[in-house]
Amino acid sequence: MKLSIDLVVDSSKEWLEAVMNDFDSFLKDHANCERKASTMAMSFVAKFPDRTEIIPELIETAIEELEHFQSVYQIMEERNLQLPPKMEQDIYVQQLIDCCRSGREERFLDRLLLGSIIECRGAERFRMVYEALPEGELKQFYRELWASEAKHGNIFVKMAMNYFDKEEIYNRLRELNEEEGRILNSLPIKAALH
Ligand SMILES: [Fe+2]
Ligand SMILES: [Fe+2]
């Protein structure tokens, strides 16, 4: 069973160049993204406490994302970097959330599928960073993250399978993936995950 569908657009070389030219800025943004990913997983638990089938996996995912945050923050400390005092809004995530429908069930499905799409995009980009980095610990770190986020990309679709039929899931995933491609292409290029 295929649990995720391919992203519609590839990230650009220009994005990778921006990241590699200002890796410190990328790290600060990346750390915040991991922290937010952990919060996002736990917000499902808070909003849908009755969906007991998926709560253990959500907790597990939240812990893994928090561990990612811990690891990125450690790298920042080694480089004497601090988290930014004010968090910039993540336009990419905000625009994706704006695509979610409003009914309780529809929103639940859309938010799960967005979880999957955002994780798949993270995996794609960490892979690019991994491939661009010179041999060393940092390269290995991004290789591990790529694998971990790729796994998360499947997890949210798998969770949706508990509550929705396959056809509905894949149809909606296709629509949201189209939106994601459009949003990604419209973003300014900067040394950030999105
Ligand atoms: Fe992560
Ligand atoms: Fe993740």
Side-chain angles (χ1 to χ4, degrees):
M1 184 176 19
K2 201 178 176 202
L3 295 173
S4 67
I5 59 171
D6 299 329
L7 296 166
V8 176
V9 301
D10 294 333
S11 293
S12 65
K13 278 196 203 85
E14 290 75 20
W15 170 80
L16 183 63
E17 259 170 42
V19 168
M20 299 311 287
N21 287 335
D22 186 1
F23 211 80
D24 285 355
S25 293
F26 173 69
L27 282 170
K28 292 183 197 180
D29 179 73
H30 176 192
N32 269 330
C33 288
E34 298 291 1
R35 189 179 52 71
K36 284 187 276 186
S38 180
T39 306
M40 198 268 289
M42 286 311 292
S43 78
F44 277 110
V45 178
K47 283 184 195 141
F48 302 97
D50 55 326
R51 310 286 154 99
T52 52
E53 296 80 0
I54 62 173
I55 288 183
E57 246 175 342
L58 285 167
I59 298 171
E60 185 70 33
T61 305
I63 292 171
E64 285 177 15
E65 300 294 13
L66 203 54
E67 283 171 355
H68 294 170
F69 174 65
Q70 187 177 41
S71 305
V72 181
Y73 190 70
Q74 253 167 25
I75 297 168
M76 285 176 60
E77 278 188 309
E78 286 160 15
R79 295 177 173 223
N80 281 319
L81 297 174
Q82 280 184 15
L83 291 164
K86 191 169 167 282
M87 283 256 310
E88 265 187 67
Q89 210 194 12
D90 192 324
I91 308 168
Y92 167 79
V93 172
Q94 196 48 56
Q95 289 190 0
L96 282 172
I97 290 173
D98 289 345
C99 298
C100 290
R101 294 166 297 173
S102 57
R104 182 169 161 87
E105 289 309 302
E106 290 86 350
R107 199 163 184 84
F108 178 58
L109 175 59
D110 287 359
R111 291 301 293 261
L112 282 176
L113 298 183
L114 281 193
S116 163
I117 292 169
I118 294 168
E119 294 290 341
C120 288
R121 180 61 68 192
E124 184 232 17
R125 291 194 154 185
F126 292 147
R127 179 186 182 167
M128 290 170 79
V129 170
Y130 153 71
E131 287 174 349
L133 282 166
E135 285 305 327
E137 270 178 41
L138 199 57
K139 187 182 184 74
Q140 273 324 106
F141 174 64
Y142 276 94
R143 194 186 126 90
E144 283 162 27
L145 274 189
W146 157 31
S148 178
E149 308 303 4
K151 186 190 80 179
H152 291 164
N154 294 341
I155 274 176
F156 288 98
V157 178
K158 200 171 122 232
M159 287 181 197
M161 297 279 185
N162 285 292
Y163 309 101
F164 302 92
D165 72 54
K166 240 196 238 171
E167 207 185 312
E168 184 181 3
I169 291 172
Y170 287 126
N171 287 339
R172 188 59 184 147
L173 196 50
R174 209 169 301 122
E175 288 172 1
L176 287 172
N177 256 318
E178 291 288 340
E179 292 290 344
E180 195 265 355
R182 184 184 56 73
I183 292 167
L184 195 87
N185 280 338
S186 73
L187 293 178
I189 290 184
K190 54 182 181 174
L193 187 54
H194 309 121

